[in-house]
Amino acid sequence: MSTGSLKAEAGIAGGDSAAGLPIAAAATVSRARTVWASWRGLVYQLAGIILAGLALLVWLLTADLSAIELRTLAPAALWVYTLEHLQLTLLAAVIVLVIAIPLGIALTRKPLRFLTAPVLAIANIGQAAPAVGVVVLLALWVGFSFWAATLSLVLYAVLPVLRNTMIGLDQVDARLVEAGRGMGMSATAVLFRVELPLAVPVMLSGVRTALVLLVGTAALATFINGGGLGILITTGVNLSLTTVLVTGALLVALLALLIDWVGRVVEHVARPKGL
Amino acid sequence: MWDFLGDRYEQILFSGWQHFSLVVQCLILATVIAVIIASLVYRSKGLTSVVNSVSAIGLTIPAFALIGLLIAPLGFGVTPAVIVVAFFAALPILRNAVVGLSGIAPSIVESARGIGMSRFRTLLQVELPMAWPIILTGVRVSAQMVMGIAAVAAYSLGPGLGGFIFSGLSRSGGANSLESVLTGVIGVIVLALILDLLLVGLGRLTIPRGIRV
Amino acid sequence: MSERNASTSPAPSAASTGITGASILLDHVTKRFPGQVHPAVDGLTMEIPAGKIVMFVGPSGCGKTTTLKMINRLIEPTEGRIVVDGDDVTEMNGDTLRRGIGYVIQAGGLFPHMTVATNIGIVPKMLGWDKARIAARVDELLELVSLDPALYRDRYPKELSGGQQQRVGVARALAADPPVLLMDEPFGAVDPITRLRLQDELLNIQDELQKTIVCVTHDFDEAVKLGDWIAIFNEGAQLEQYDTPERILGDPANEFVENFIGSGAGLKQLTLTRVEEVGLADAVIGNPGERAADVLARVAEAGHGHAVIVDDRHRPIQWLSRRKLGRLDLISAVPDPKLPVVGIRATLNDALDTMLVSSAGAALVTGRRDMFKGVIDVRTVMDAITRSQTAAVLESDKAPVGLNTGMFQAQASAAEAAEAELIGAESSSAQSSSAQSSSAQPIEADGSGADARAAQ
Ligand SMILES: Nc1ncnc2c1ncn2[C@@H]1O[C@H](COP(=O)(O)OP(=O)(O)OP(=O)(O)O)[C@@H](O)[C@H]1O
Ligand SMILES: [Mg+2]
């Protein structure tokens, strides 16, 4: 009787240790699987963008283009428009970051905390302003130029970054801040070592939203001589050049998707581990 | 400015009303489509994630680019404007509808089925009402976004306040160009606020008290 | 002033007894939050002795957390002084002060974006320790809180269970070896079983380190179990009673305290004493194989009702009444599975529990290796309670001082006289006089006493 139960126990123990290895192996496999799962969407998105870009290229190469279309869609010209577009977008983005992040931090500090809610409310209303209206208004005020375009882009994209910076900092568990202060970290140390790292995901998604908005809005810069890919759309419409119109629209869309992709990759990599 | 408004208040009111009704109709259409799609996909994990990526990617496409793409086959007029506005309106609603429907505790669905409700009835009487607050939030987000998009859509000579912006632009430097643009911008913001208030009111009326926050 | 500081700092002998904690004095401390009519903490004077665990209890919103946070000045007092280890820290840099005071909050308050090791190493890093020393300290602390360093060092908080997070929270608070540990409902977010284990662990750690621990809790049983001293607060941090668990249970200062303890004060008191601390009754012992009649004769001679049958290693296997013995012929070796047995380290509460379900109204006590030690019965328990009550009333001259302004002013002259020499003396005499006037016996005042009698 007792030896029987002993054997049974030994059997169970043996089974356990034998199962140990496969479990470990399964763990690495499943880890690889989760890594792939977390990157899969991004890989598909990039593949889709590249495929769409290639399709556009093939279509342009095989289409029967008129002389004026060929001139407008010359690779050099397209390259210049794209660079202008990126320049507008990135310049505006940098200015937005420089303004919105410190402002967002300042508005969530104690002395200015009371402003958080009103500023968020105003930001929400501002979001409803039509982008094209903001662009045109700014141009009428500053003059039709690259700088007017940049300024209106900044105005338009400051809101999501500011919003998400404030929300990101606001949603950090107050008890963690208190734990930090409680163990003797200064307010600045808590900001940089606890609050900002924990706000990074929300802030980055605000930055990505802003970048995508910027790419789209930069297409409107053409209305005020600000440059960019939008000129293909307006030229296409004005001169009834469908190929140019479609190329312009697709390039803007692909650029937006590409920027979105870059933003997602950055978010993915920069998200603090452990969240 | 006041002269401008005084001279054209009828035209402004008319365009404002057109703008508003374009947005509201598109929102209704978008809500119906989004809820139907969400009801079809929310039970499947794979389809849900496909729908979520579609709505995420759709939202990155610039409205102006989509208008350009639609003008090519459809020409100028109301149709491209409606499609663009409805398309963008549907995306946030779709996302929220899927989140709302799949967020309902399985135990609740199970108990509804347990008392003999059919699957469709469960969806209609239990799941959709419970997901409604989240769906309505999506509608509010859409409404804010689409108000501005409807202004850009005026580029295709569609209806609404966007016309004031583009006409101001085309007469830039000329008389009343600034007034015209300002009218368009402020008009859109005011409409957005009004619509948001209406939607909040709608929420009060339609969200059962038991799940109101 | 300086004289009083001297009197509240730990006695020189403290170091030799292994106490690493520091005494704390809240001196007429008041906190009035902006827009508040009644202060959250109203003129509180309270001495917290070095190396002891002081538990704060009281109804929600009474100012426990506020009082606790004023000690490390997370909340700045509106009036009054905070004195730690004889030094007035009210004007000191708050961050520097807090680096020297451990702080544990509910669910650990771990930073989710840092590994366990980084979390624990934060304060040492701020204090400028070098890497090797921090790493060694992290491992040492993880060992202390019973977590395998190799396994847990590099995990993120979300990869730990609630109880493990709480342990890391304690380890983090201990990182720089602070003399004082403040805990705000540290075990509030874990399940009851884990909570008991964490409490035991805290007691073990405290045995080793002898910090000064101030701990807020909502669980009065926890306060009784952990506290050397319990402070019971009312609205505005009015100190209703500040005394040992024994005396609070045995001699509640007023109705508020009685209500706060709730019913079952007597039963709670039982958790304070262990079986080994009370006298056990002897028993007639028999062995398997003996003739039952012989054993019965011995039982009758001793005037007992039962005989305990032990096996060859002196472990109890049966407990036979006279009636049973009378019906048996030979004593068998088959163990009785329902034998009422308690270990010698069990609390009287556990023992009583076992007794109540046994037909004999008593329980067998076993020591090391389950060897039979003796019998504990309800009367022994009652005697022990009575004795500890009397002892509690007498042994109160070491009580630390705790007063609010109102009380304090009423007794101002006496208190000042007391301050001049020994700060505890005056308050304790006041308490013991009140004790005599209201010497109700809690175990008979409530249902538990009746239960115990019914079981007899
Ligand atoms: N930051 C603050 N501002 C204003 N009032 C506060 C603040 N913190 C606490 N109070 C008030 O002070 C009083 C005491 O609060 P405290 O947090 O100390 O209570 P507590 O005893 O810890 O309660 P609980 O058991 O619920 O944790 C309460 O009335 C509370 O509303
Ligand atoms: Mg509290």
Side-chain angles (χ1 to χ4, degrees):
Chain A
M1 181 77 191
S2 70
T3 52
S5 77
L6 262 182
K7 257 185 202 153
E9 267 167 34
I12 289 165
D16 251 346
S17 61
L21 268 179
I23 284 171
T28 46
V29 167
S30 79
R31 195 162 311 136
R33 217 173 271 157
T34 48
V35 167
W36 164 239
S38 70
W39 282 94
R40 189 175 49 196
L42 289 172
V43 172
Y44 288 168
Q45 186 176 353
L46 184 62
I49 294 168
I50 292 174
L51 276 182
L54 286 177
L56 174 64
L57 191 64
V58 169
W59 179 64
L60 283 180
L61 288 178
T62 56
D64 186 14
L65 300 177
S66 68
I68 182 160
E69 281 174 332
L70 276 177
R71 194 147 18 88
T72 336
L73 296 177
L78 286 186
W79 185 237
V80 169
Y81 296 143
T82 310
L83 279 187
E84 276 176 4
H85 206 105
L86 278 177
Q87 213 177 350
L88 264 177
T89 305
L90 296 182
L91 180 61
V94 169
I95 299 175
V96 162
L97 293 187
V98 168
I99 295 174
I101 291 183
L103 190 61
I105 293 174
L107 286 174
T108 48
R109 295 306 97 187
K110 250 230 182 90
L112 294 179
R113 183 132 242 167
F114 68 98
L115 285 174
T116 302
V119 167
L120 280 180
I122 291 172
N124 280 337
I125 295 172
Q127 210 99 71
V132 64
V134 175
V135 171
V136 174
L137 267 187
L138 252 287
L140 291 178
W141 182 42
V142 183
F144 283 45
S145 65
F146 177 81
W147 287 107
T150 311
L151 194 58
S152 57
L153 289 184
V154 167
L155 259 188
Y156 201 62
V158 134
L159 294 180
V161 180
L162 181 63
R163 232 183 88 126
N164 278 39
T165 305
M166 290 165 73
I167 292 178
L169 287 171
D170 241 18
Q171 48 101 56
V172 172
D173 191 342
R175 288 179 321 173
L176 292 181
V177 175
E178 193 194 286
R181 294 309 304 273
M183 53 209 271
M185 293 165 88
S186 65
T188 324
V190 170
L191 173 65
F192 281 100
R193 299 200 51 201
V194 180
E195 292 180 84
L196 281 176
L198 290 175
V200 153
V202 181
M203 288 169 66
L204 278 182
S205 102
V207 171
R208 178 170 55 83
T209 310
L211 276 170
V212 169
L213 269 181
L214 283 173
V215 174
T217 316
L220 301 173
T222 178
F223 289 127
I224 60 167
N225 303 336
L229 287 165
I231 197 167
L232 294 175
I233 302 178
T234 48
T235 311
V237 168
N238 291 340
L239 305 181
S240 301
L241 301 172
T242 311
T243 324
V244 176
L245 168 58
V246 170
T247 309
L250 280 179
L251 279 180
V252 173
L254 287 178
L255 198 60
L257 286 170
L258 191 65
I259 294 272
D260 179 67
W261 180 80
V262 173
R264 281 178 197 277
V265 169
V266 171
E267 270 177 58
H268 195 77
V269 174
R271 164 173 304 136
K273 274 192 225 128
L275 288 187
Chain B
M1 186 76 205
W2 296 119
D3 289 347
F4 180 85
L5 292 179
D7 289 348
R8 279 160 237 240
Y9 78 93
E10 267 185 34
Q11 193 200 340
I12 295 170
L13 281 185
F14 178 69
S15 300
W17 172 248
Q18 273 197 325
H19 197 104
F20 192 75
S21 101
L22 169 71
V23 167
V24 169
Q25 292 181 39
C26 288
L27 272 179
I28 294 173
L29 181 67
T31 308
V32 171
I33 295 176
V35 167
I36 290 177
I37 296 179
S39 309
L40 292 176
V41 304
Y42 79 97
R43 279 169 206 273
S44 141
K45 251 210 175 106
L47 286 178
T48 302
S49 79
V50 168
V51 162
N52 278 340
S53 348
V54 166
S55 80
I57 287 175
L59 281 172
T60 60
I61 297 173
F64 187 51
L66 190 61
I67 291 169
L69 280 177
L70 288 177
I71 290 176
L74 299 175
F76 290 91
V78 181
T79 327
V82 168
I83 295 181
V84 168
V85 172
F87 173 76
F88 284 108
L91 299 177
I93 306 178
L94 182 58
R95 187 185 197 96
N96 276 31
V98 168
V99 169
L101 283 174
S102 46
I104 295 171
S107 62
I108 290 178
V109 179
E110 221 164 82
S111 66
R113 305 275 286 144
I115 59 170
M117 284 172 126
S118 69
R119 221 174 148 142
F120 183 65
R121 211 184 171 80
T122 308
L123 179 70
L124 223 55
Q125 293 197 337
V126 178
E127 294 174 273
L128 282 178
M130 288 191 69
W132 180 237
I134 301 180
I135 298 176
L136 198 62
T137 309
V139 176
R140 282 179 65 190
V141 171
S142 279
Q144 298 284 306
M145 184 179 78
V146 150
M147 275 291 176
I149 288 178
V152 190
Y155 184 67
S156 75
L157 303 184
L161 289 169
F164 284 96
I165 297 170
F166 283 105
S167 80
L169 173 68
S170 62
R171 285 180 286 116
S172 73
N176 284 335
S177 67
L178 184 62
E179 283 83 354
S180 182
V181 177
L182 265 182
T183 305
V185 172
I186 295 174
V188 169
I189 296 179
V190 170
L191 286 184
L193 285 178
I194 293 175
L195 184 55
D196 198 48
L197 283 182
L198 290 178
L199 286 172
V200 171
L202 181 69
R204 292 246 148 219
L205 290 180
T206 55
I207 297 175
R209 210 154 42 111
I211 52 175
R212 211 177 282 161
V213 275
Chain C
M1 277 302 179
S2 62
E3 268 175 22
R4 177 160 60 181
N5 286 353
S7 73
T8 54
S9 61
S13 64
S16 60
T17 56
I19 294 176
T20 61
S23 67
I24 302 165
L25 174 69
L26 303 176
D27 183 12
H28 295 81
V29 171
T30 295
K31 177 65 194 182
R32 199 176 272 110
F33 285 109
Q36 230 176 15
V37 186
H38 301 292
V41 173
D42 195 0
L44 177 69
T45 295
M46 186 171 185
E47 187 192 14
I48 292 166
K52 298 291 181 200
I53 301 184
V54 173
M55 305 296 291
F56 285 6
V57 294
S60 193
C62 68
K64 306 180 292 286
T65 300
T66 307
T67 306
L68 186 82
K69 285 189 190 164
M70 282 194 291
I71 295 176
N72 67 1
R73 300 220 346 264
L74 268 179
I75 294 179
E76 296 286 351
T78 319
E79 287 161 29
R81 303 183 311 144
I82 312 285
V83 180
V84 176
D85 206 6
D87 301 323
D88 187 339
V89 298
T90 326
E91 300 301 327
M92 169 181 185
N93 176 294
D95 293 331
T96 318
L97 169 68
R98 286 188 282 271
R99 273 169 218 179
I101 294 180
Y103 186 53
V104 185
I105 62 176
Q106 198 175 76
L110 301 181
F111 299 133
H113 58 300
M114 299 180 185
T115 60
V116 165
T118 320
N119 261 297
I120 297 178
I122 294 175
V123 177
K125 200 172 160 197
M126 283 193 292
L127 294 175
W129 293 18
D130 62 61
K131 274 198 183 128
R133 186 168 165 215
I134 294 177
R137 180 69 181 153
V138 166
D139 287 4
E140 182 187 335
L141 284 163
L142 281 174
E143 299 271 9
L144 182 71
V145 297
S146 323
L147 292 174
D148 180 0
L151 217 53
Y152 291 99
R153 201 188 289 131
D154 295 321
R155 290 211 189 172
Y156 284 96
K158 72 163 180 192
E159 295 160 343
L160 303 178
S161 73
Q164 290 167 341
Q165 289 183 9
Q166 197 59 65
R167 289 195 174 105
V168 176
V170 173
R172 184 174 73 174
L174 289 170
D177 205 19
V180 176
L181 207 56
L182 306 180
M183 313 177 102
D184 196 349
E185 296 178 41
F187 309 137
V190 293
D191 65 273
I193 294 176
T194 312
R195 183 181 314 169
L196 290 183
R197 199 163 333 129
L198 290 172
Q199 288 167 351
D200 290 336
E201 232 158 66
L202 184 68
L203 286 175
N204 288 340
I205 292 174
Q206 175 67 354
D207 269 352
E208 201 173 312
L209 303 180
Q210 310 232 9
K211 303 287 181 194
T212 305
I213 299 179
V214 185
C215 179
V216 173
T217 181
H218 270 131
D219 178 354
F220 191 73
D221 294 336
E222 180 169 278
V224 170
K225 176 169 176 185
L226 296 181
D228 294 310
W229 302 97
I230 298 179
I232 299 184
F233 290 104
N234 200 346
E235 270 326 285
Q238 291 289 329
L239 249 184
E240 295 288 345
Q241 190 167 6
Y242 182 26
D243 218 323
T244 59
E246 289 83 357
R247 281 181 39 80
I248 284 181
L249 285 170
D251 181 24
N254 52 35
E255 205 179 326
F256 177 84
V257 176
E258 266 171 46
N259 288 337
F260 197 83
I261 296 168
S263 61
L267 284 182
K268 282 170 189 157
Q269 213 162 15
L270 293 177
T271 61
L272 292 169
T273 316
R274 299 195 179 276
V275 171
E276 63 190 343
E277 295 164 31
V278 302
L280 301 177
D282 288 333
V284 174
I285 300 210
N287 295 101
E290 264 188 282
R291 275 163 38 86
D294 296 349
V295 180
L296 186 58
R298 269 185 277 149
V299 169
E301 189 188 341
H304 285 191
H306 292 77
V308 177
I309 312 301
V310 297
D311 66 6
D312 51 353
R313 285 199 241 156
H314 213 66
R315 295 179 300 197
I317 52 173
Q318 294 171 43
W319 198 17
L320 302 174
S321 62
R322 285 191 189 194
R323 210 144 53 90
K324 267 222 178 109
L325 282 169
R327 278 191 257 131
L328 282 176
D329 182 21
L330 271 185
I331 306 248
S332 80
V334 183
D336 173 5
K338 286 192 288 187
L339 212 57
V341 175
V342 293
I344 199 150
R345 300 270 299 161
T347 63
L348 288 190
N349 195 26
D350 299 335
L352 191 61
D353 210 35
T354 313
M355 278 177 230
L356 293 183
V357 296
S358 95
S359 54
L364 304 179
V365 179
T366 55
R368 277 194 322 134
R369 298 172 198 221
D370 294 337
M371 294 218 297
F372 178 66
K373 285 284 180 196
V375 175
I376 184 166
D377 60 14
V378 173
R379 195 187 327 250
T380 325
V381 175
M382 296 294 296
D383 288 348
I385 292 170
T386 322
R387 216 167 334 114
S388 77
Q389 268 169 18
T390 354
V393 173
L394 294 177
E395 171 236 314
S396 60
D397 50 312
K398 286 178 295 182
V401 72
L403 299 163
N404 288 89
T405 313
M407 265 167 79
F408 188 76
Q409 275 163 352
Q411 307 168 338
S413 56
E416 265 165 29
E419 270 170 21
E421 36 163 353
L422 194 77
I423 198 148
E426 189 273 336
S427 72
S428 62
S429 67
Q431 276 157 353
S432 53
S433 65
S434 78
Q436 276 145 21
S437 60
S438 64
S439 59
Q441 283 176 305
I443 190 128
E444 282 170 11
D446 59 43
S448 60
D451 280 351
R453 274 192 302 278
Q456 277 178 320

